[in-house]
Amino acid sequence: MSDQTDLSPATVAVTAGRPPRTPDQPVNPSVELSSTYQASPMSGDGDRVYARWGNATWPAFEEVLGRLEGGQALLFSSGMAAIAATLSLVPAGGRVVAPRHAYSGTLGLLGDLAAAGRLEVEQVDVADTDAVLDAVRGTQGQAPAALLWVETPTNPMLEVADLPALVAGARAAGALVAADNTFATPLGLRPLEHGVDVVVHSVTKYLSGHSDVVLGATVAADAAVHARLARYRTMHGAIAGPFEAWLALRGLRTLALRVERAGANAAELARRLSEHPAVARVRHPSLPEDPGHARAAAQMRGFGAIVAIEVAGGADAAERLCAATQVWAHATSLGGVESSLERRRRQPAESRTVPESLVRLSVGIEDVEDLWRDLEQALAASSGPGA
Ligand SMILES: *Cc1c(COP(=O)(O)O)cnc(C)c1O
């Protein structure tokens, strides 16, 4: 018999979170649609009472993700709900150090909480380790930060943080560290192994992988932190519907195949785009000349499947590029089997320091030559004469 703890992540994604092997019983967990449960005897301590507190559909997904990340996972109604739960760990008035480029919703929520006086926010270049740790320690008279928020690679600028150095410095200063691992996935990076306290995911993206659900997750290293996040979920009602949870588990089964294929496609397209005259700059950590390449190679497995390009013709040419593709979907979001692209600054919430001409490409699992031909024709259509 194989030792279940020895299994590789690709195997865990397929085998974990299944019902016990009972003859004639299903191989897959079922979707359980019940808001309430038969009462257990007063003497008993049954763990299902009411479905907001816990139900039979979440634990299968949570077991798989927990095993992949190496901690205790909780499924939430969205990535933002998981982020809100994690920010609730910050004591009133506490200081949060966050990347200046990060998921726009994270920065938006931090801004709202700061405006309400709930916490303080300081934004830094997360790739500049000294600047991050100076901010975490605080200047004279300032208390150290309560929480360091890390995203690596960042959305949409693909900056790579030196995770081991940031965690060591933050821990020495007594700050909690949270990492949004949506871009890397646990197959590309395991932040808890580097000493991060809480990992958050937009399960909407790679973990589900088919652009058909909105869900989120936290994974905590420590049981007490996990319990606080679970209480937040119950009290704020930030819960996943059973059907979405079941779809997310179905998607998670193929994570290894999807991440491998999308990552290989992304690296190949990044290389070709970096030689294309209509593209002024390509950001992807797989490129040897990318500022994050050495760090990503040291701490990640693969380089992820999000690529950002700056279109030489500017914002208008970038919009024309997005409108001219036929295989690539012109849509926001990322992490689906289908390739998609978007000029990020068309979103009013995007950081002002993201270039106007930046197009974020979420590379999917289609044939790479089809993806390339479509990009080539769309680049020609957007930059050629009469465009
Ligand atoms: C999409 C996204 C989120 C937000 O997740 P939702 O599921 O949309 O709430 C958070 N972080 C990153 C990096 C994302 O891409």
Side-chain angles (χ1 to χ4, degrees):
M1 264 214 47
S2 72
D3 177 353
Q4 292 276 310
T5 58
D6 274 355
L7 299 174
S8 81
T11 307
V12 168
V14 174
T15 58
R18 299 216 178 249
R21 295 176 170 228
T22 308
D24 299 331
Q25 293 305 302
V27 165
N28 284 315
S30 305
V31 190
E32 187 185 86
L33 296 171
S34 187
S35 60
T36 190
Y37 293 82
Q38 307 283 353
S40 52
M42 289 306 284
S43 55
D45 57 352
D47 58 355
R48 305 239 191 277
V49 181
Y50 180 60
R52 177 161 46 78
W53 305 348
N55 61 58
T57 314
W58 301 336
F61 178 92
E62 290 169 345
E63 187 192 328
V64 182
L65 181 60
R67 292 264 302 273
L68 290 175
E69 289 283 8
Q72 281 183 284
L74 288 166
L75 192 58
F76 282 81
S77 48
S78 66
M80 284 307 300
I83 289 165
T86 306
L87 293 179
S88 80
L89 300 171
V90 177
R95 207 156 52 80
V96 178
V97 173
R100 67 185 165 148
H101 300 129
Y103 177 65
S104 56
T106 307
L107 299 180
L109 177 58
L110 282 168
D112 289 356
L113 293 171
R118 166 70 182 76
L119 45 72
E120 280 176 37
V121 186
E122 203 162 324
Q123 284 183 256
V124 289
D125 173 357
V126 81
D128 183 343
T129 304
D130 291 339
V132 177
L133 292 180
D134 283 348
V136 168
R137 289 183 204 109
T139 45
Q140 62 276 39
Q142 212 177 22
L147 175 70
L148 169 61
W149 191 273
V150 181
E151 219 180 86
T152 183
T154 61
N155 182 1
M157 297 284 269
L158 283 317
E159 296 139 328
V160 179
D162 184 344
L163 200 56
L166 293 186
V167 171
R171 297 212 129 201
L176 275 179
V177 185
D180 185 330
N181 203 28
T182 301
F183 271 35
T185 86
L187 300 185
L189 181 67
R190 297 182 86 209
L192 300 185
E193 270 179 4
H194 292 287
V196 164
D197 298 284
V198 182
V199 164
V200 303
H201 278 282
S202 172
V203 175
T204 313
K205 315 293 168 54
Y206 290 104
L207 301 185
S208 291
H210 296 74
S211 307
D212 52 10
V213 294
V214 174
L215 286 175
T218 57
V219 192
D222 177 73
V225 171
H226 172 74
R228 287 179 65 188
L229 295 167
R231 175 150 179 96
Y232 178 101
R233 178 175 72 176
T234 301
M235 290 300 138
H236 289 251
I239 60 161
F243 192 61
E244 284 81 0
W246 182 87
L247 272 176
L249 178 64
R250 192 181 203 275
L252 192 54
R253 297 297 187 203
T254 56
L255 181 68
L257 281 175
R258 289 185 286 105
V259 161
E260 195 180 315
R261 172 64 170 262
N265 282 354
E268 179 60 21
L269 293 176
R271 191 184 63 72
R272 294 187 192 182
L273 285 164
S274 66
E275 290 161 7
H276 197 289
V279 176
R281 177 167 179 185
V282 181
R283 297 167 193 262
H284 190 251
S286 70
L287 297 170
E289 66 273 22
D290 190 272
H293 177 73
R295 270 181 196 169
Q299 72 195 19
M300 291 175 73
R301 191 169 174 278
F303 299 97
I306 306 296
V307 178
I309 62 173
E310 286 165 42
V311 177
D316 291 346
E319 282 295 334
R320 288 196 298 271
L321 162 69
C322 297
T325 59
Q326 279 156 23
V327 176
W328 295 70
H330 182 198
T332 197
S333 197
L334 55 99
V337 288
E338 76 289 357
S339 294
S340 62
L341 81 179
E342 176 190 40
R343 187 179 73 86
R344 278 303 300 168
R345 285 293 298 280
R346 73 172 9 233
Q347 302 290 349
E350 189 54 89
S351 298
R352 305 282 100 183
T353 45
V354 169
E356 284 279 7
S357 67
L358 184 136
V359 173
R360 184 185 67 195
L361 299 96
S362 173
V363 181
I365 65 168
E366 304 92 333
D367 183 273
V368 70
E369 298 303 335
D370 289 336
L371 292 175
W372 177 243
R373 267 194 303 276
D374 191 36
L375 276 183
E376 269 192 316
Q377 69 77 19
L379 281 165
S382 63
S383 61

